[in-house]
């Protein structure tokens, strides 16, 4: 049976799962959960995930929330090439570390969400300036760590996260997260990536490795980005 | 070489790692990193872990941080009994889900307790008012409610998701609940009073791992007193 992925391509973790499926030809069906309309808080959805969060996987009746678990489960159960989630204990521990660190760190969507499109959702929130500053600080320190400690191509190691020679599910998840910054203004994006050359290089390489799927999966974000940029320019 | 665990008893994720070691007779050396004096932010510790967070392990030169990554790594490398981190793909996915949910949801207990009690006591952070605490309190309560309503199935088994034996998820989640002891008695009652399944689950773990919990919580009485004293002196 084709797996069902409940989520939205506007959501970074959902995108990561779809990317893994596309890159490995795993047939899937994306069941759209519209978070702007609070679908994720409705009983039909919380029956699948009581935490009311996307994405959720339905693998022939086996229900699994939490994107990181889903990525690991798909890599293992579909016997994907080892580099996605290595069997070697230490290599795997390094990927586990990145995926755990991700939860409380690089998850910078809050900054992007709060700044750019919280007012577009049906909850009609006003952007919270205090929250935006706090999220921005957090986002910056996380991005600094990625740039300064997680990318080791210049030390003669591999070009992917933690010096790996091939991408893992951590590279997909992190790249998907960074891609959300495309919603920000050109000026904001430039500011974020100034002084983060290693990050830019790694992102370009990861996107290239996953193309044409990366561009395909980013289409809703690219569309929203154009709309917001037009609005900023007063069009 | 004996496993080194860099950490502090006040850090619940550190205690979860120690608990796994104690329960499985994994030899370790605890290298204290004093969070209260800010040792974790100093250059010596940051050289070991640039994020400045505990716990970190040094397994004969292999450095690993993030408690849940450490728990998985130790479960696998030390060949502990399967129930701690099952090999079966679906059983393992369920544990992975709980460990992720802990990061994104249950860890809100720490966010709240640190904001309300530990920050002001140990790091002289100004005491937040009720309005400032509301977001963290809401998230914490929602997580505690989810565990009570959906993640415990006592009719199937006494541990998380109805398992007959504990997993590393039970360790990290139960250690998180220990943080609630820093709250005033009425607040603890409010949080756990109407959650009988949670209380039963914590008791089941206490029964299975009793003396190990005592070991990891040995500095708790002193810390609780410091927090209570700070609270009463305003």
């Amino acid at each position: 049976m084709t797996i069902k992925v409940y989520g939205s391509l506007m959501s970074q973790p959902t995108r990561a799962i779809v990317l893994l499926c596309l890159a490995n030809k795993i047939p899937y069906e994306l069941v759209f959960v519209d978070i702007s309309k609070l679908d994720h808080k409705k009983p039909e959805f919380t029956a699948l995930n009581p935490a009311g969060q996307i994405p959720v996987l339905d693998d022939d009746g086996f229900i699994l929330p939490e994107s990181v678990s889903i990525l690991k489960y798909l890599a293992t159960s579909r016997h994907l090439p080892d580099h996605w989630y290595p069997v070697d204990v230490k290599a795997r521990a390094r990927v586990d570390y990145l995926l755990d660190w991700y939860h409380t760190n690089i998850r910078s969507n809050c900054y992007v969400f709060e700044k750019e499109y919280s007012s577009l959702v049906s909850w009609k929130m006003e952007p919270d300036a205090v929250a935006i500053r706090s999220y921005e600080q957090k986002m910056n320190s996380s991005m600094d760590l990625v740039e300064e400690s997680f990318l080791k191509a210049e030390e003669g190691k591999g070009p992917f996260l933690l010096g790996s020679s091939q991408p893992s599910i951590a590279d997909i998840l992190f790249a998907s997260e960074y891609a959300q910054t495309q919603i920000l203004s050109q000026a904001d994006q430039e500011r974020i990536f100034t002084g983060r050359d290693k990050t830019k290089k790694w992102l370009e390489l990861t996107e290239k490795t996953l193309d044409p799927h990366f561009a395909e999966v980013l289409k809703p974000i690219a569309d929203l980005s154009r709309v917001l940029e037009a609005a900023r320019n007063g069009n | 070489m004996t496993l080194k665990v860099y950490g502090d008893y006040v850090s619940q994720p550190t205690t979860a790692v120690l608990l796994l070691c104690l329960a499985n007779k994994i030899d370790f050396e605890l290298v204290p990193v004093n969070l209260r004096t800010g040792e974790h932010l100093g250059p010596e510790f940051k050289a070991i872990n640039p994020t400045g967070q505990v716990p970190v392990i040094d397994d004969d030169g292999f450095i690993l941080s993030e408690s849940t990554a450490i728990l998985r790594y130790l479960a696998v490398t030390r060949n502990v009994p399967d129930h701690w981190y099952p090999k079966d793909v679906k059983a393992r996915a369920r544990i992975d889900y709980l460990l992720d949910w802990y990061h994104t949801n249950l860890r809100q207990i720490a966010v709240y307790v640190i904001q309300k009690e530990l920050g002001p006591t140990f790091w002289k952070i100004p005491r937040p008012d009720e309005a400032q605490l509301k977001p963290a309190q809401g998230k914490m309560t929602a997580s505690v409610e989810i565990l009570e309503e959906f993640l415990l199935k006592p009719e199937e088994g006494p541990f998380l998701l109805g398992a007959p034996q504990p997993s590393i998820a039970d360790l990290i989640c139960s250690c998180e609940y220990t943080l609630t002891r820093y709250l005033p008695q009425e607040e603890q009652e409010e949080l756990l009073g109407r959650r009988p399944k949670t209380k039963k689950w914590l008791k089941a773990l206490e029964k299975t791992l009793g003396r190990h919990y005592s070991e990891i919580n040995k500095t708790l009485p002193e810390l609780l007193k410091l927090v209570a004293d700070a609270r009463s002196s305003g």
Side-chain angles (χ1 to χ4, degrees):
Chain A
M1 201 186 101
T2 305
I3 62 170
K4 286 197 176 107
V5 179
Y6 290 82
S8 158
L9 291 181
M10 295 298 293
S11 132
Q12 301 88 308
T14 305
R15 282 203 297 273
I17 292 160
V18 170
L19 279 167
L20 185 71
C21 289
L22 289 168
N24 290 279
K25 297 184 174 29
I26 301 171
Y28 72 94
E29 177 198 340
L30 180 64
V31 181
F32 181 50
V33 177
D34 193 346
I35 57 169
S36 74
K37 299 200 167 67
L38 289 173
D39 278 359
H40 56 313
K41 301 299 176 194
K42 294 176 184 158
E44 315 88 81
F45 185 76
T46 56
L48 296 172
N49 181 10
Q53 289 163 328
I54 53 170
V56 176
L57 174 75
D58 177 350
D59 183 13
D60 202 10
F62 178 61
I63 308 292
L64 187 67
E66 291 294 340
S67 58
V68 168
S69 298
I70 296 170
L71 289 166
K72 290 176 181 177
Y73 171 76
L74 288 176
T76 310
S77 60
R78 267 55 181 183
H79 307 287
L80 300 187
D82 188 67
H83 64 85
W84 291 117
Y85 192 44
V87 160
D88 171 76
V89 162
K90 288 178 179 173
R92 176 164 288 200
R94 279 189 277 268
V95 177
D96 281 341
Y97 160 67
L98 288 169
L99 295 170
D100 285 337
W101 179 86
Y102 160 87
H103 285 299
T104 47
N105 290 274
I106 203 65
R107 198 80 174 92
S108 60
N109 72 312
C110 291
Y111 170 72
V112 173
F113 178 83
E114 194 69 34
K115 190 161 194 240
E116 297 296 343
Y117 64 95
S118 59
S119 53
L120 298 178
V121 299
S122 66
W123 323 331
K124 291 185 177 42
M125 291 156 20
E126 284 302 316
D128 179 344
V130 172
I132 287 174
R133 257 196 310 278
S134 155
Y135 290 139
E136 187 174 7
Q137 250 179 339
K138 186 113 213 229
M139 178 183 75
N140 274 320
S141 52
S142 301
M143 287 190 176
D144 282 344
L145 200 77
V146 171
E147 176 74 15
E148 285 151 31
S149 303
F150 291 177
L151 294 168
K152 301 172 187 282
E154 284 163 25
E155 295 162 45
K157 299 221 170 125
F160 295 101
L161 287 167
L162 292 186
S164 212
S165 56
Q166 286 181 286
S168 71
I169 51 183
D171 293 275
I172 296 190
L173 192 62
F174 279 47
S176 181
E177 191 70 33
Y178 275 87
Q180 205 77 352
T181 58
Q182 287 180 24
I183 292 177
L184 300 168
S185 68
Q186 282 304 119
D188 267 346
Q189 286 184 59
E190 238 148 83
R191 198 168 42 82
I192 284 175
F193 287 100
T194 300
R196 291 182 175 134
D197 295 327
K198 291 195 271 187
T199 303
K200 283 204 284 215
K201 248 177 130 170
W202 157 76
L203 266 174
E204 273 160 28
L205 177 64
T206 305
E207 289 175 30
K208 201 161 158 238
T209 311
L210 294 166
D211 260 340
H213 311 302
F214 205 87
E216 185 188 321
V217 147
L218 272 184
K219 211 178 158 300
I221 289 292
D223 289 343
L224 177 62
S225 168
R226 269 191 296 276
V227 166
L228 290 174
E229 190 64 14
R232 280 180 211 115
N233 298 333
N235 298 334
Chain B
M1 202 188 96
T2 308
L3 177 76
K4 282 198 178 106
V5 182
Y6 292 82
D8 187 329
Y9 285 106
V10 80
S11 141
Q12 294 307 309
T14 301
T15 61
V17 170
L18 299 181
L19 201 49
L20 183 71
C21 291
L22 291 165
N24 290 279
K25 297 186 176 27
I26 300 169
D27 283 333
F28 68 90
E29 175 200 338
L30 177 63
V31 182
V33 179
N34 193 331
L35 299 185
R36 283 179 277 158
T37 61
E39 196 180 346
H40 58 304
L41 300 170
E44 261 170 55
F45 184 67
K46 280 210 164 171
I48 298 169
N49 181 14
T51 72
Q53 286 170 319
V54 295
V56 179
I57 59 164
D58 176 350
D59 187 17
D60 204 10
F62 179 64
I63 310 288
L64 184 67
S65 63
E66 288 295 337
S67 57
T68 46
I70 294 169
L71 287 167
R72 289 180 173 101
Y73 172 81
L74 289 177
V76 170
T77 55
R78 268 52 179 185
N79 260 309
V80 302
D82 189 68
H83 63 84
W84 290 113
Y85 193 45
K87 288 195 185 62
D88 172 77
V89 168
K90 287 181 179 171
R92 179 165 287 198
R94 283 189 210 102
I95 307 295
D96 282 337
Y97 153 62
L98 289 170
L99 295 172
D100 287 335
W101 176 81
Y102 154 80
H103 281 297
T104 57
N105 290 269
L106 196 67
R107 195 75 178 123
Q108 290 299 312
I109 295 180
V111 172
Y112 177 70
V113 173
I114 289 170
Q115 206 183 352
K116 182 169 195 270
E117 305 289 353
L118 302 185
T121 307
F122 298 136
W123 300 292
K124 304 289 172 272
I125 291 165
R127 265 183 204 280
D129 62 36
E130 229 179 279
Q132 289 168 312
L133 287 168
K134 243 183 152 62
Q137 189 186 35
K139 288 181 195 166
M140 171 185 73
T141 310
S143 303
V144 166
E145 184 62 17
I146 287 175
L147 192 118
E148 174 73 15
E149 288 301 309
F150 301 104
L151 302 182
L152 290 167
K153 298 170 195 287
E155 67 281 9
E156 289 173 32
F159 301 105
L160 284 170
L161 295 182
Q165 288 180 288
S167 71
I168 53 180
D170 291 275
L171 296 183
I172 197 91
C173 290
S174 63
C175 285
E176 194 70 17
Y177 277 81
T178 306
L179 284 169
T180 62
R181 295 201 220 168
Y182 288 106
L183 299 170
Q185 205 41 49
E186 327 81 67
E187 228 181 314
Q188 290 184 51
E189 206 18 65
E190 167 84 35
L191 203 54
L192 290 177
R194 282 168 296 125
R195 285 166 181 133
K197 293 201 280 183
T198 303
K199 291 205 281 200
K200 236 177 137 181
W201 162 68
L202 289 170
K203 274 208 169 71
L205 281 165
E206 182 83 25
K207 196 159 168 236
T208 317
L209 302 166
R211 57 200 163 89
H212 304 309
Y213 276 105
S214 304
E215 173 65 26
I216 60 166
N217 288 330
K218 63 188 179 190
T219 64
L220 196 59
E222 173 210 334
L223 295 169
L224 288 173
K225 188 168 189 308
L226 287 168
V227 167
D229 288 347
R231 198 164 48 225
S232 55
S233 64

